[in-house]
Amino acid sequence: MTSPSSAPFPVPGALSVALSDAAPTVAPEAAGSAGRTPRTGRDVVVGVLAVQGDVREHIATVESLGARAVPVRRASELAAIDGLILPGGESTTMDKLTRTFGLAGPLRGLIDGGLPVYGSCAGMILLSDVIADPSTDRHGNPQQTLGGLDIVVRRNAFGRQRESFEADLAFAGLAATGPAAGDDPVRAVFIRAPWVEKVGADVEVLAQVPAAETPQAGPSDAAPGADLEPVARIVAVRSGNLLATSFHPEVTGERRVHELFIRMIRGEA
Amino acid sequence: MSTVEDRSATTAQTGGNRVKRGMAEMLKGGVIMDVVTAEQARIAEDAGAVAVMALERVPADIRAQGGVSRMSDPDMIDSIIEAVSIPVMAKARIGHFVEAQVLQSLGVDYIDESEVLTPADFTNHIDKWKFTIPFVCGATNLGEALRRINEGAAMIRSKGEAGTGDVSNATMHMRKIRSEINRLSSMAEDELYVAAKELQAPYELVKEVASAGRLPVVLFTAGGIATPADAAMMMQLGADGVFVGSGIFKSGNPAERANAIVQATTFHDDPDTIAKVSRGLGEAMVGINVEEIPQPHRLAERGW
């Protein structure tokens, strides 16, 4: 994983041999947002927000790909990371703990500054600019997010645990990401999962649950309680350095999504 | 992962092992709180609980009032499901598969087949594979945990002694399970057959635990946790998370104590934070020493 090069952008053939043998290198202007130099000269360090959730699975997946992963619970630990994963768990719990322990502010600053961030499930909710149905506390204050990703998410949109499901999904852009790449569908595990209800102009949709795979139609803002025809639901998106999935690749042994994220950190995807 | 042969057929599947066990993985590092009203559920959610356990009486009251203790009233469970956005768990009696069917019908997110309620079957536990929603079960040792997993439990909690505010049994059960796992990990492969016999657990599960060095499902702890320090100790002993029953709503200041226990669970290895959150919480639950409870009234000894 180490590379002798200190070039600011990937040089074909010189970098990240383990991750990018077969992959075409993207043009520099496509990589990440301006103002943040992609990490290329040494191993990347991926932080995993560790206030609550399936931290262990994300760490194991990152490490299986040869990168370093470290749990992050304090603002002082943020300086050492090149990218951050917001894991699955309870978004309300993570919201409260990141605010109580002074992490939310610094995290928002880093996201604004172009830090690559990947959120799965609750992590997608934390990354979203808007929650369609935020939880509200006893004093009427709505749940907050870190934001940065121009999407509207709906929590538990596919239903409760009884409706939680797994399904095969086509996922755009994984085929070219590295040695774990392939055209096989992603076996996606959805656990009380959110979906993306709206995306902004700069947000790329990477995967959807097709209508036929959608267990239930879900709620309608226009006509509450109405039975809707099942429609395809957006469950994976990317915008610049931010990546989010409604589902949990980390619990199935699926490594290609994390591989894509590590390549984003390296400025290679 | 294989490619899909028939794209016209749906590939979606509910109630699979990964969905059930995965749900518990998402609760890790969190606190699950016993609640008996919608208002308590809101307090728990505001404190940052990862889930609530809806039940009619907290274990301390079950202990004090006696009588047969059963699944909660569906109206009460509905009102709690309505009140919060976090997962809602509920308890069924050991072996009472119809209570479990009702809880699944109500849409609870996890069923606790619990020794805190009066057992309905002194021989068999519920066949948990038959359900779409997952189960958590109590265990006092590794063999018991593996028998429950073999019956389909997707999450294990060490039992402790519920409703006491005395953490000593929770400590004993966590240490016991951990030391039995360590012992398996250090064994030669040909010793695992006898180990399985001694544990009264299926060989395949014993082998899996020996090679992974942990249970194949998430391990929480329960029973007697009343303070932030109790919760943090359980985490340091290797629990993936904490159930708090009577400890919160039988204390002087439930909202503050709930907050403090959540924070101490996340920062379980940071004594400065635990000290800070332990201040000004008011009275902890009064509690009962487990040693003073006559043997027949010890809940941890229900289930086998």
Side-chain angles (χ1 to χ4, degrees):
Chain A
M1 298 293 279
T2 55
S3 163
S5 171
S6 59
F9 294 110
V11 178
L15 288 166
S16 321
V17 176
L19 279 175
S20 63
D21 275 350
T25 304
V26 292
E29 58 269 23
S33 64
R36 189 177 177 89
T37 307
R39 186 68 64 183
T40 56
R42 61 174 176 79
D43 281 358
V44 298
V45 178
V46 181
V48 180
L49 182 68
V51 296
Q52 191 273 317
D54 72 334
V55 177
R56 184 167 70 206
E57 286 71 19
H58 278 288
I59 288 179
T61 308
V62 168
E63 290 187 337
S64 80
L65 289 162
R68 276 185 59 208
V70 294
V72 172
R73 285 180 302 176
R74 295 179 178 81
S76 61
E77 292 161 346
L78 293 170
I81 62 171
D82 305 312
L84 179 68
I85 292 175
L86 306 174
E90 272 309 308
S91 61
T92 52
T93 304
M94 292 189 214
D95 169 35
K96 289 185 178 101
L97 287 169
T98 51
R99 282 193 277 145
T100 302
F101 289 95
L103 265 171
L107 284 174
R108 287 194 185 103
L110 285 170
I111 292 169
D112 285 348
L115 180 76
V117 184
Y118 166 45
S120 72
C121 197
M124 172 190 262
I125 295 168
L126 291 178
L127 267 184
S128 68
D129 279 345
V130 179
I131 304 176
D133 56 340
S135 164
T136 307
D137 72 13
R138 285 170 297 149
H139 311 292
N141 305 308
Q143 165 183 11
Q144 296 180 22
T145 71
L146 300 172
L149 194 49
D150 183 11
I151 57 174
V152 178
V153 298
R154 183 174 291 279
R155 298 178 63 211
N156 310 140
F158 288 105
R160 303 186 67 83
Q161 176 61 17
R162 196 174 48 191
E163 287 79 45
S164 292
F165 68 106
E166 44 184 295
D168 290 335
L169 298 183
F171 194 115
L174 291 187
T177 60
D183 291 335
D184 287 351
V186 170
R187 187 69 182 167
V189 171
F190 295 87
I191 297 172
R192 288 171 49 95
W195 65 43
V196 179
E197 215 146 87
K198 290 187 189 125
V199 297
D202 296 329
V203 178
E204 183 187 357
V205 174
L206 300 178
Q208 301 188 58
V209 178
E213 306 268 12
T214 307
Q216 62 171 37
S220 158
D221 277 343
D227 276 344
L228 300 182
E229 284 297 308
V231 297
R233 296 295 181 179
I234 298 168
V235 293
V237 293
R238 176 178 175 186
S239 177
N241 271 345
L242 305 179
L243 175 70
T245 61
S246 301
F247 57 89
H248 297 280
E250 73 278 6
V251 303
T252 56
E254 170 62 69
R255 298 191 301 166
R256 291 172 293 173
V257 177
H258 289 74
E259 189 167 58
L260 168 64
F261 180 56
I262 290 169
R263 286 176 48 80
M264 286 167 58
I265 297 172
R266 291 175 176 274
E268 296 169 358
Chain B
M1 186 179 305
S2 60
T3 51
V4 181
E5 281 160 21
D6 182 6
R7 290 301 306 181
S8 66
T10 178
T11 66
Q13 182 205 352
T14 56
N17 228 4
R18 290 201 290 213
V19 165
K20 289 175 167 179
R21 293 182 179 183
M23 169 71 198
E25 305 286 357
M26 303 310 146
L27 301 172
K28 282 189 305 210
V31 181
I32 299 167
M33 300 181 190
D34 278 3
V35 298
V36 300
T37 64
E39 175 60 17
Q40 289 184 355
R42 301 270 295 164
I43 291 170
E45 183 174 52
D46 285 2
V50 289
V52 291
M53 176 75 70
L55 72 175
E56 216 142 47
R57 298 180 286 173
V58 293
D61 288 336
I62 291 173
R63 204 174 268 297
Q65 296 160 8
V68 174
S69 195
R70 311 178 177 89
M71 178 191 83
S72 300
D73 180 338
D75 283 342
M76 176 272 210
I77 293 172
D78 278 351
S79 72
I80 288 174
I81 287 176
E82 194 60 35
V84 294
S85 68
I86 56 177
V88 175
M89 301 182 166
K91 289 182 192 287
R93 283 179 267 177
I94 289 174
H96 205 313
F97 51 87
V98 175
E99 282 189 350
Q101 290 164 6
V102 170
L103 292 174
Q104 174 161 295
S105 160
L106 293 174
V108 305
D109 296 295
Y110 238 93
I111 295 174
D112 184 359
E113 186 181 17
S114 177
E115 71 282 0
V116 169
L117 307 185
T118 310
D121 186 329
F122 283 98
T123 310
N124 306 290
H125 282 69
I126 297 169
D127 177 359
K128 294 166 271 287
W129 297 112
K130 288 187 173 166
F131 290 79
T132 305
I133 52 171
F135 281 73
V136 54
C137 288
T140 59
N141 57 56
L142 180 60
E144 196 178 358
L146 295 180
R147 288 192 291 280
R148 296 295 86 78
I149 294 167
N150 193 45
E151 295 157 0
M155 177 179 186
I156 295 292
R157 54 174 175 75
S158 64
K159 282 181 181 171
E161 188 58 35
T164 59
D166 178 346
V167 82
S168 61
N169 275 25
T171 309
M172 181 168 70
H173 300 154
M174 278 306 299
R175 283 192 185 278
K176 173 94 174 159
I177 292 169
R178 194 178 66 171
S179 71
E180 286 175 325
I181 291 173
N182 289 342
R183 185 168 160 266
L184 283 187
S185 294
S186 67
M187 280 183 175
E189 216 164 299
D190 62 357
E191 295 169 344
L192 294 176
Y193 298 101
V194 171
K197 191 187 79 175
E198 287 169 357
L199 288 167
Q200 298 177 56
Y203 170 73
E204 286 306 321
L205 281 175
V206 168
K207 198 174 150 201
E208 193 179 343
V209 169
S211 75
R214 58 183 173 86
L215 292 179
V217 302
V218 164
L219 172 64
F220 268 48
T221 191
I225 290 137
T227 69
D230 288 349
M233 180 164 82
M234 292 301 125
M235 295 299 286
Q236 288 197 29
L237 285 172
D240 289 319
V242 179
F243 283 87
V244 185
S246 321
I248 290 171
F249 291 102
K250 284 285 163 190
S251 75
N253 188 345
E256 282 304 309
R257 184 165 294 267
N259 269 321
I261 290 177
V262 168
Q263 293 170 22
T265 300
T266 292
F267 288 92
H268 57 267
D269 54 355
D270 179 352
D272 292 344
T273 300
I274 300 165
K276 190 172 143 212
V277 303
S278 298
R279 291 176 198 276
L281 297 181
E283 287 286 305
M285 73 179 280
V286 175
I288 315 166
N289 297 317
V290 175
E291 289 303 312
E292 292 166 11
I293 302 171
Q295 208 81 13
H297 296 286
R298 294 192 192 167
L299 304 176
E301 290 167 24
R302 295 171 170 176
W304 33 90

